[in-house]
Amino acid sequence: SFVDAHLPGFERLGPGVFRIVLGSPETITPVQRRPAPPAWDRFSALPEAERTPFLADEVSFRIHARGCTVVLPYSPDEGVFGLGLQLKSHLQAGKKKKLRVNADPLADTGDSHAPVPFFASTAGYGILVDTARYVSFYVGTHARPSGIASRVKEKWDSPARSTEELYRSQAIGDCVVIDIPAARGVALYLFAGPAMGDAIARYNLFSGGGVLPPRWALGNWYRTSSSHDAADVERMIGCFEADGMPFSVLGLEPGWQSCFYPNSFVWNPQRFPDPRAFLGRLSARDLRVNLWENAFVHPECPFFEAIRPHCADELATDGLVPDFLDPKACAIFSEHHARLVDQGVAGFKLDECDNGDFVPHAWSFPEFARFPSGADGEQMHSLYGIHYQNTLHQVFRDRDRRHFDLVRSSGALAASLPYVLYSDLYEHRDFLRGTVNAAYSGLLWTPEVRDAASTEDLVRRVQSAALSPISLINGWYCELPPWRQTNTKLNQEKIEMQERDEATALVRQALLLRVQLVPYLYTAFFDYYSTGRPPFRGLAFDFPGRKSVWSEDRTLLIGRDLLFHPLVAGEREVEFFLPPGIWRDFTTGVPSLGDRRLRVTDIPVGRILLYVRDGALLPLANPDVPNEIIPHVFADDSASGSLYEDDGCSYAFERGDYTIFNLCWHRADGLSVIQTAGRKTGLATHLGQVVTRCEGTR
Ligand code: GAL
C-alpha cells in the first residue's frame, strides 16, 4: 500500500545548505531539538557551493504502514563515509546499516555507541536524515522499494546458470534507500561541497562549529581504580611522578560516590571525607579532576524526589531515568552538578547512556519506555547522549568555563559539544578505525588504554591514544599503572612485571610527545571551531578523489601538517599510502616522497610512524619549561606554520579575545612572527630556539 507523496523542491537555508521536507516529519528529531544553532557566521571560511548534488525530483518518497522510505540517486562510483562511529567498517558504499544505539556493537550492522544519520559522498555532498528512529541506510543498493530496476531486467535476460556466474557480478547498485520506521515524513538536510571534506565541514558548522577544548584537557589523562580512596589516588600521583609520567587530568570512577548503579551523585564520606580539600591539593599539583557517572538516579540522591516526575516510566540499572528533553529535568540535574563544579570538579564522564541490551539486567531503558516530553524509548536512545551532554555542558557555559569530557553515546549535530567517545570493547584495530571514522560525522573518539596482552601491545595502544583527541589511560580496574603490570590479574594483586622499566620508558616517550604537541593540537582544534575541519581525520577526508585511499582506515591526518600511521602489536613492517608531496619523519627529519605507498620495515616498538609535511613549522611545547614553545622546522630553506593562543579556559575567544600568529622561518633570515587574526596582542608564551629537522637532504 504505497502512496506517492508530493515532492516539494529544495529550500536554501544558508551557504551550501539545503532542506527538503517530505511528508509530515516527527517533532522529536535531532534538528528540531538541536543543542546549538548553526554557526552561520563562520561559513565564509568554506568555498562557495550553491549547487545541490541532485534535483529534488530525483528524490522519491513513500509513506507506508510501517513508516516511510526515501530513495536518493547514487552513482556506483561514489565512495560513502559516515553514519556515525562505525568501528567495524570504513567505506559504507555497498552496505546496509540499521542505525541503532547499542553499547555492545560487535558486528558491522550499524549498531553503534554513536550512530549518526549523516553520510558524505566523494561526489562532494553530505546528507543528514533528520530522524531519531532506528533508520536503515541501503547504500548503493539495487533494491528499489517499488518498480523494477533496469539491472533486474538485465539479470532476467541473462540469469546465472553456474556458481561462477552467480558470484561474478556483485556490483553496487544505483540508489541509496533510507527506510524510517514509525515516521510519516522526514526532513533531509543537504550539504554541498565542492569536495567531500567541505560538505562535512559544512555539516559541522551547521551543527554549531567544532569544539575548542580548554588547553589543559589536551594533556594526558589517567583514570584511577574505582576502589581508590583519596589517599590511594594521591599515592598513585606519587607513582606517576616517580615514573616521570606527565598527566594533566585525573579521573575518578564510580567509587567516588556514596552509592552507584544507580547513583547518589554525592561524595563517598569514607573514601573522600573532604572533597574540597582533596580537589584543592590536586589543583595545586596542576591536576584537574573528572568524575564518572551515568544518568540513573538512586533514592539516596538529594534530587531524587524533585526529578521523579520528570523521568521515564521505566528504570535503568534500577534507577530513575531523567528525561533530558524536559527542561525541568535538565534544570534539576544541572543545579546539583553545578555544586560539584563550584567545588572544583573540572568535568564528568557520562557513562552507559548508550543503550545496553543483549544482557539480562537493564543497563538502560527499553524502547517501549515513555518519557514526559512525549518521546518513546527508541527516539530517546537516539537523542539521549546528545541531551545528556548538553545538560551538563550548560553548567560550564553558565560559568564561562570550558570543559572537555568523556561520553559513551552521541548522535547527530554533536560537533560543538565538548565530549569524546570511548567504549568498553577493546579490539585495538577497531579502536584505530574509530578515530578515523568519527571524523566523518562530527564526532571525536579516543582509543583509550586499559590493560594489555604484552608490553608491545600496551605501548602501541598508548601511542595511538596519545595521538587521538584524548590521550587516556583508563585504569578503572587497575591497582598499579599498566606500565608496571600489563596483566590484569597480576596488576590487581599489585605484582610488578619484569619488563616494567622498558614499558615505563616507552609509555613515557609517547606521553611526552603528546605534551609537546599540545600547542599544535590546540591550533588544530581552533581550526575545527572556525572552519568545521576536524583535527583528526582519515585520508579520504582530504583526498576523496583517490579511490586508493577509500580503504585506508587507520592512517590519520592531524591538523594541517601531521600524518600518523598507528601500529598494532606484532607489526614489524607496514605499507600505507603517503599523500602527494614530501613528508619528513618527525624524529629524524628524513624525507620520503609521497603520492605512493610507503613501505617501512624493521620497525622497533619505540618507533612512532609520524610524518610532517615538508615546509611545515610546528609550534611544540617544551615539556621541561612551562610556557615555552619551540618552533620545529621541517624544511631545507623555508617553513611556516600557525599558532593559536587565548586564555585557554574561558569562552572569551568567542568574543574575539584570541590571537593567531603566522610563524615563518627562512634559513637566511631566521624566524619572524606576524599576528594574522584576533583582538589580543602579543605572544602569551615564550618562543625558544628554533630546531631544524632537515637531515637527509643537505
Ligand atoms: C564501564 C565503563 C568503564 C568504567 C566502568 C566503571 O561502563 O565503560 O570505563 O567506567 O563502567 O563501572
Side-chain angles (χ1 to χ4, degrees):
S1 60
F2 284 121
V3 285
D4 272 313
H6 170 70
L7 282 180
F10 289 114
E11 178 191 347
R12 182 183 181 278
L13 301 179
V17 183
F18 307 90
R19 175 171 58 193
I20 182 167
V21 180
L22 304 165
S24 312
E26 295 187 294
T27 54
I28 295 177
T29 69
V31 177
Q32 298 200 53
R33 306 297 169 120
R34 53 182 313 149
W40 295 122
D41 57 317
R42 282 168 252 160
F43 272 69
S44 56
L46 299 176
E48 263 188 46
E50 287 305 328
R51 289 176 42 224
T52 58
F54 37 72
L55 300 171
D57 63 10
E58 288 178 84
V59 177
S60 68
F61 170 66
R62 287 175 186 87
I63 299 172
H64 43 78
R66 61 180 294 280
C68 62
T69 306
V70 181
V71 184
L72 302 178
Y74 168 82
S75 149
D77 296 335
E78 290 173 52
V80 168
F81 300 88
L83 301 180
L85 178 74
Q86 294 296 332
L87 294 177
K88 296 286 180 188
S89 64
H90 180 235
L91 182 64
Q92 303 304 332
K95 303 231 164 206
K96 175 191 168 188
K97 288 277 158 85
K98 179 173 182 177
L99 300 190
R100 214 173 58 118
V101 182
N102 183 354
D104 208 11
L106 293 177
D108 192 23
T109 52
D111 276 9
S112 163
H113 298 285
V116 181
F118 170 82
F119 69 84
S121 158
T122 54
Y125 66 91
I127 303 247
L128 171 68
V129 179
D130 187 28
T131 181
R133 294 290 168 195
Y134 292 163
V135 51
S136 295
F137 286 80
Y138 299 68
V139 184
T141 180
H142 298 285
R144 287 177 184 276
S146 77
I148 294 163
S150 56
R151 221 187 95 76
V152 175
K153 173 82 174 63
E154 259 167 54
K155 259 193 128 176
W156 284 355
D157 291 343
S158 48
R161 297 188 197 277
S162 69
T163 309
E164 288 72 26
E165 280 176 19
L166 174 64
Y167 287 103
R168 188 173 303 144
S169 169
Q170 294 294 318
I172 290 179
D174 60 0
C175 60
V176 173
V177 175
I178 302 160
D179 186 47
I180 309 162
R184 313 298 294 164
V186 70
L188 304 184
Y189 290 78
L190 214 137
F191 303 90
M196 179 174 83
D198 302 317
I200 296 171
R202 219 175 279 281
Y203 164 72
N204 289 338
L205 291 183
F206 179 74
S207 308
V211 59
L212 178 66
R215 196 167 30 218
W216 53 262
L218 294 179
N220 297 294
W221 294 45
Y222 191 97
R223 306 197 69 87
T224 62
S225 164
S226 195
S227 66
H228 282 176
D229 61 15
D232 296 327
V233 172
E234 291 183 72
R235 252 194 304 278
M236 208 59 177
I237 297 170
C239 177
F240 302 156
E241 285 169 2
D243 291 347
M245 297 296 179
F247 288 105
S248 314
V249 182
L250 225 125
L252 303 185
E253 286 291 312
W256 72 271
Q257 295 175 97
S258 63
C259 75
F260 38 93
Y261 294 99
N263 304 298
S264 64
F265 303 95
V266 291
W267 291 93
N268 181 307
Q270 279 79 44
R271 290 201 183 102
F272 297 91
D274 189 350
R276 212 176 261 280
F278 168 76
L279 293 169
R281 287 196 299 278
L282 265 61
S283 153
R285 294 165 106 156
D286 216 13
L287 279 167
R288 303 316 198 272
V289 173
N290 176 290
L291 298 182
W292 177 98
E293 64 170 52
N294 67 32
F296 313 130
V297 186
H298 185 271
E300 205 172 295
C301 166
F303 58 81
F304 180 85
E305 283 307 333
I307 208 161
R308 197 175 187 159
H310 309 286
C311 292
D313 61 355
E314 298 282 339
L315 303 177
T317 64
D318 297 328
L320 297 179
V321 181
D323 181 349
F324 291 124
L325 291 178
D326 174 344
K328 287 227 177 71
C330 300
I332 295 163
F333 201 83
S334 44
E335 194 191 308
H336 178 84
H337 283 78
R339 282 192 214 116
L340 293 167
V341 172
D342 292 338
Q343 261 182 358
V345 170
F348 301 92
K349 161 172 166 179
L350 315 189
D351 208 14
E352 291 129 353
C353 44
D354 50 0
N355 201 1
D357 46 17
F358 306 144
V359 284
H361 38 241
W363 282 94
S364 197
F365 50 89
E367 274 71 8
F368 50 81
R370 306 290 319 173
F371 286 80
S373 59
D376 62 34
E378 176 182 359
Q379 293 169 310
M380 194 53 108
H381 277 306
S382 305
L383 300 177
Y384 210 69
I386 290 282
H387 288 271
Y388 184 11
Q389 292 172 49
N390 193 38
T391 302
L392 290 188
H393 173 53
Q394 292 312 323
V395 173
F396 291 92
R397 268 269 167 201
D398 290 347
R399 283 159 178 70
D400 196 28
R401 263 173 71 174
R402 270 183 268 162
H403 64 124
F404 199 43
D405 290 346
L406 294 161
V407 71
R408 234 175 58 184
S409 183
S410 201
L413 305 179
S416 74
L417 289 166
Y419 294 85
V420 177
L421 291 153
Y422 63 96
S423 176
D424 255 2
L425 303 181
Y426 205 47
E427 177 58 45
H428 193 195
R429 194 60 192 78
D430 289 351
F431 269 32
L432 299 179
R433 194 176 295 110
T435 319
V436 172
N437 278 357
Y440 300 119
S441 310
L443 304 171
L444 298 168
W445 156 265
T446 170
E448 66 165 39
V449 186
R450 304 196 286 265
D451 41 9
S454 62
T455 296
E456 183 186 358
D457 183 33
L458 175 78
V459 171
R460 289 304 186 205
R461 286 177 181 273
V462 172
Q463 291 169 348
S464 57
L467 290 157
S468 84
I470 285 188
S471 172
L472 170 64
I473 298 182
N474 180 10
W476 74 273
Y477 49 73
C478 299
E479 290 303 314
L480 297 173
W483 58 85
R484 290 195 178 186
Q485 176 56 266
T486 51
N487 177 284
T488 316
K489 193 168 166 291
L490 298 176
N491 188 307
Q492 288 170 343
E493 290 166 16
K494 297 194 185 171
I495 301 171
E496 302 204 342
M497 63 183 187
Q498 260 181 354
E499 316 87 275
R500 169 198 143 156
D501 291 346
E502 185 200 346
T504 303
L506 292 169
V507 168
R508 187 194 303 125
Q509 180 196 33
L511 300 189
L512 282 172
L513 169 63
R514 172 67 176 212
V515 173
Q516 277 192 291
L517 286 173
V518 169
Y520 174 79
L521 294 177
Y522 197 51
T523 304
F525 268 101
F526 182 73
D527 214 28
Y528 189 31
Y529 165 81
S530 53
T531 69
R533 192 184 164 80
F536 295 86
R537 56 197 187 279
L539 292 175
F541 190 101
D542 288 38
F543 304 97
R546 306 231 156 195
K547 272 199 171 166
S548 59
V549 308
W550 293 0
S551 55
E552 299 282 343
D553 60 356
R554 68 164 133 165
T555 308
L556 276 177
L557 292 165
I558 306 175
R560 288 191 204 161
D561 297 316
L562 279 180
L563 178 143
F564 171 46
H565 187 80
L567 299 178
V568 299
E571 286 180 315
R572 289 285 172 276
E573 50 179 77
V574 282
E575 211 186 276
F576 58 95
F577 181 76
L578 201 60
I582 293 171
W583 294 85
R584 290 176 183 269
D585 183 284
F586 177 83
T587 314
T588 63
V590 171
S592 299
L593 189 62
D595 207 5
R596 67 186 172 106
R597 295 189 70 75
L598 183 71
R599 190 172 174 71
V600 190
T601 53
D602 302 320
I603 314 169
V605 182
R607 178 149 179 219
I608 300 177
L609 299 182
L610 184 61
Y611 298 85
V612 189
R613 203 186 293 279
D614 181 56
L617 181 156
L618 304 186
L620 301 182
N622 181 348
D624 301 322
V625 183
N627 258 347
E628 181 171 281
I629 286 182
I630 303 182
H632 279 62
V633 159
F634 294 83
D636 287 329
D637 297 313
S638 66
S640 67
S642 59
L643 173 66
Y644 168 81
E645 282 188 349
D646 62 14
D647 68 11
C649 58
S650 81
Y651 286 98
F653 74 96
E654 292 184 345
R655 306 182 285 271
D657 286 344
Y658 65 86
T659 21
I660 300 179
F661 300 97
N662 195 5
L663 308 181
C664 279
W665 174 87
H666 292 280
R667 184 167 289 280
D669 314 325
L671 185 72
S672 64
V673 181
I674 303 154
Q675 184 171 341
T676 55
R679 195 164 58 208
K680 283 197 153 179
T681 47
L683 269 168
T685 37
H686 164 73
L687 279 188
Q689 198 71 42
V690 174
V691 169
T692 49
R693 296 259 167 88
C694 56
E695 287 84 345
T697 37
R698 267 175 191 268

